[in-house]
Amino acid sequence: QVQLVESGGGLAQPGGSLRLSCIASGFTFSNYAMSWTRQAPGKGLEWVSAIYSDGSDTYYADFVKGRFTISRDNANNTLYLQMNSLKPEDTALYYCAKVAKPHHISTHRSEYDYWGQGTQVTVSS
């Protein structure tokens, strides 16, 4: 069965960095776009970034452009999110997700069919 397991969250100071990972199993990882979405305390889900199946295209929400970088290692079925210049408003539970259709990318949460359990990122001094 499809499994997505995030890790790498934790406490960072404003201006600091964290690198999130998402290990995928149960499907052909290299055929599917992947995304990161977050949920801040008391708020709704917020799409962050997406990457095409072969890594050739990437998309970012405006509020993370220039600070976050999405990447993937298809040989090791792993998705990454490098987060730099972190701000307190980046505090959230971060989820990775798999798009439903192969060789298709979307910025819409409704087009992603499997989600991980999330990893908590807290940015505070």
Side-chain angles (χ1 to χ4, degrees):
Q1 71 277 22
V2 173
Q3 285 194 315
L4 300 171
V5 181
E6 302 97 334
S7 62
L11 176 64
Q13 291 190 339
S17 299
L18 284 172
R19 189 192 197 199
L20 306 184
S21 299
C22 171
I23 297 177
S25 62
F27 64 102
T28 304
F29 183 71
S30 58
N31 285 352
Y32 292 88
M34 300 290 293
S35 72
W36 290 98
T37 298
R38 70 186 187 185
Q39 186 167 27
K43 296 189 177 181
L45 289 169
E46 190 173 47
W47 173 80
V48 174
S49 183
I51 185 167
Y52 192 60
S53 52
D54 64 1
S56 59
D57 280 337
T58 58
Y59 299 86
Y60 298 93
D62 287 344
F63 53 81
V64 302
K65 277 182 183 175
R67 301 190 299 123
F68 291 9
T69 302
I70 191 171
S71 62
R72 62 192 296 158
D73 178 352
N74 284 350
N76 290 297
N77 292 354
T78 305
L79 174 72
Y80 299 102
L81 186 67
Q82 178 67 43
M83 305 187 296
N84 298 330
S85 303
L86 283 164
K87 304 176 181 179
E89 51 264 43
D90 293 320
T91 295
L93 191 60
Y94 284 73
Y95 300 93
C96 67
K98 165 194 167 292
V99 75
K101 296 179 183 178
H103 305 297
H104 171 72
I105 191 168
S106 175
T107 61
H108 300 288
R109 293 194 309 273
S110 62
E111 297 196 47
Y112 288 80
D113 57 355
Y114 286 92
W115 298 70
Q117 83 290 348
T119 186
Q120 178 66 41
V121 171
T122 302
V123 183
S124 174
S125 55

